[in-house]
């Protein structure tokens, strides 16, 4: 609402590093460091945020901003939300609360050692690796994730939840209540949130992709091995991992298709007629498409881009979701591998898809 620019940077279980610009910076014709205030360690005055990892900003339909981050660490982390309201001057941050809990129950699973001998793990803590947070046309907030266990550090399951009140309360796809922020939490016991059961032995990526198309259909892409994938030492081979497209139709039923692709952590956008998947693969950026009219069973690569020699293989291309929704342009952001502390080039690739 106040056209401020928000930055959070340099985090992996660190004290918050946050900068907010002066009002109007988002539409300023020229930029300089003078537009930005000093780095600070809090959102709400006097409340330093510690153990911050993977912070992200989510723009609400009314112009306010959500800030989501993982508190503590991998395999032992909570998901927490704050909200920025720029309708007053200066804008004000407030806490929405924790909505995913790292504890709540133990999980016992077997995973073999290097010789294929089964080892039993009992994990009392975990974290949610969220794919994304997106708003739909009705103003509902959606997220999907996989669990990362604390003991054994293995990923499992595709899960999904939505909120009709900007992250205060959360429900599973069938409407089952899951959480009320800072009161009750989504945890390992909430099996209603599971879209697909994927065991720890199936080489699951810890970061997938999510979007909701204009008709309200939820699309999730997750990377893992099928149950019949060949294995070594009783573990599915990671190089044989494939993307899986899980999508929910208008009746609420979920459908799953295995895609013939493997690569980096993917990104996904969807409009009323098609879904588009972006990923890095063998030194190239690939864009794949499937259509609604074919029931999303016709995935094909529609464009390859040769990545620069200095592109970091395995990196995840960024996608400008807002530009796609407003203009039908698939705008991709990639960055070259850095050398020491020297800044590396940033590249933007635009593809007109509709």
């Amino acid at each position: 609402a106040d056209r401020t620019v928000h930055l959070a940077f340099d985090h992996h279980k660190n004290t918050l590093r946050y900068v907010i610009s002066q009002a109007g910076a988002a539409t300023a014709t020229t930029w300089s460091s003078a537009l930005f205030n000093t780095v600070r360690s809090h959102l709400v005055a006097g409340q330093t945020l510690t153990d911050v990892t993977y912070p992200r900003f989510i723009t609400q339909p009314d112009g306010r901003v959500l800030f989501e981050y993982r508190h503590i660490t991998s395999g032992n982390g909570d998901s927490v939300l704050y909200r920025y309201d720029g309708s007053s001057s200066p804008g004000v941050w407030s806490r929405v609360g924790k909505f995913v809990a790292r504890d709540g129950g133990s999980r016992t699973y077997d995973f073999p050692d290097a010789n294929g001998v089964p080892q039993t793990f009992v994990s009392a803590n975990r974290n949610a690796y969220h794919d994304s947070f997106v708003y739909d046309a009705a103003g509902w907030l959606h997220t999907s994730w996989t669990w990362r266990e604390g003991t054994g550090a293995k990923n499992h399951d595709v899960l999904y939840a939505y909120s009709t009140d900007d992250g205060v309360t959360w429900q599973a796809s069938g409407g089952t209540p899951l959480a009320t922020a800072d009161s009750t939490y989504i945890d390992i016991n909430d099996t209603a949130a599971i879209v697909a059961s994927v065991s720890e032995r199936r080489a699951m990526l810890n970061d997938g992709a999510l979007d909701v198309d204009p008709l309200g259909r939820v699309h999730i892409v997750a990377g893992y091995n099928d149950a019949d994938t060949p294995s070594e030492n009783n573990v599915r081979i990671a190089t044989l991992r494939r993307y899986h497209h899980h999508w929910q139709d208008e009746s609420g039923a979920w459908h799953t298709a295995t895609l013939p692709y493997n690569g980096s952590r993917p990104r996904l956008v969807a409009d009323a007629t098609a879904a588009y998947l972006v990923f890095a693969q063998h030194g190239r950026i690939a864009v794949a498409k499937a259509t609604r009219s074919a029931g999303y069973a016709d995935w094909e690569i529609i464009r390859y881009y040769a990545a620069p020699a200095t592109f970091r293989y395995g990196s995840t291309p960024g996608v400008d979701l807002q530009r796609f929704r407003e203009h039908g342009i698939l705008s991709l952001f990639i960055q070259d591998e850095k050398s020491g502390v020297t800044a590396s080039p940033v590249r933007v690739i635009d593809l007109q898809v509709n």
Side-chain angles (χ1 to χ4, degrees):
D2 58 2
R3 293 169 293 155
T4 50
V5 176
H6 303 258
L7 300 173
F9 54 93
D10 247 5
H11 297 97
H12 204 279
K13 199 176 183 292
N14 299 104
T15 298
L16 178 68
R17 297 180 179 97
Y18 167 68
V19 175
I20 184 173
S21 75
Q22 298 174 15
T27 52
T29 55
T30 59
W31 269 33
S32 73
S33 58
L35 284 175
F36 291 85
N37 297 296
T38 57
V39 179
R40 70 194 209 198
S41 60
H42 65 273
L43 299 176
V44 178
Q47 299 179 17
T48 297
L49 296 185
T50 61
D51 296 327
V52 175
T53 302
Y54 304 137
R56 75 184 90 205
F57 297 98
I58 308 149
T59 303
Q60 295 184 203
D62 62 6
R64 293 182 295 170
V65 175
L66 290 173
F67 176 84
E68 187 272 336
Y69 73 100
R70 185 182 75 197
H71 178 234
I72 308 184
T73 192
S74 176
N76 186 31
D78 302 319
S79 301
V80 183
L81 282 168
Y82 281 78
R83 177 180 294 111
Y84 177 82
D85 189 343
S87 60
S88 61
S89 182
V92 177
W93 282 100
S94 60
R95 180 181 170 95
V96 178
K98 181 175 82 171
F99 64 103
V100 178
R102 65 186 187 275
D103 48 16
S106 293
R107 178 178 175 88
T108 301
Y109 66 96
D110 291 332
F111 196 88
D113 63 15
N115 297 315
V117 179
Q119 306 292 306
T120 298
F121 294 94
V122 179
S123 180
N125 297 289
R126 60 204 52 83
N127 74 278
Y129 270 107
H130 294 278
D131 301 326
S132 187
F133 290 80
V134 297
Y135 275 95
D136 65 16
W140 292 9
L141 178 64
H142 304 254
T143 189
S144 58
W145 72 95
T146 181
W147 290 120
R148 162 70 65 85
E149 291 300 325
T151 303
K154 303 303 178 186
N155 305 323
H156 61 93
D157 297 333
V158 178
L159 303 103
Y160 162 80
Y162 70 92
S163 172
T164 61
D165 52 11
D166 301 312
V168 177
T169 60
W170 292 88
Q171 294 83 43
S173 59
T176 302
L178 296 175
T180 298
D182 269 352
S183 177
T184 57
Y185 313 115
I186 300 171
D187 63 30
I188 192 68
N189 298 306
D190 288 309
T191 56
I194 296 175
V195 172
S197 295
V198 181
S199 77
E200 287 84 353
R201 294 189 179 202
R202 290 168 66 179
M204 190 172 195
L205 285 172
N206 61 353
D207 189 5
L210 166 73
D211 197 16
V212 182
D213 68 30
L215 301 178
R217 292 183 298 257
V218 179
H219 299 263
I220 302 169
V221 170
Y224 56 88
N225 284 326
D226 286 320
D228 58 355
T229 303
S231 62
E232 289 181 350
N233 294 330
N234 295 316
V235 180
R236 303 303 173 189
I237 302 171
T239 55
L240 299 180
R241 181 192 298 122
R242 293 293 179 264
Y243 297 130
H244 294 74
H245 179 210
H246 306 275
W247 63 280
Q248 186 184 42
D249 65 26
E250 292 86 342
S251 73
W254 286 96
H255 308 264
T256 299
T258 301
L259 280 58
Y261 314 125
N262 182 21
S264 67
R265 293 175 173 89
R267 291 296 174 257
L268 175 76
V269 292
D271 59 22
T273 62
Y276 300 86
L277 184 69
V278 180
F279 56 97
Q281 180 190 66
H282 307 308
R284 301 178 296 183
I285 307 299
V287 179
K289 175 184 178 181
T291 62
R292 175 195 175 196
S293 59
Y296 304 104
D298 57 344
W299 284 97
E300 62 174 344
I301 301 290
I302 61 171
R303 188 67 59 88
Y304 279 117
Y305 294 98
T310 52
F311 175 68
R312 182 181 179 186
Y313 176 68
S315 294
T316 301
V319 175
D320 188 335
L321 177 59
Q322 198 66 28
R323 192 174 189 203
F324 176 79
R325 289 182 172 180
E326 293 182 2
H327 304 292
I329 295 175
L330 191 57
S331 191
L332 313 181
F333 172 102
I334 64 173
Q335 186 168 11
D336 292 8
E337 181 74 271
K338 69 181 180 69
S339 176
V341 296
T342 303
S344 60
V346 166
R347 306 173 190 272
V348 175
I349 303 170
D350 288 342
L351 175 64
Q352 182 80 49
V353 295
N354 55 18

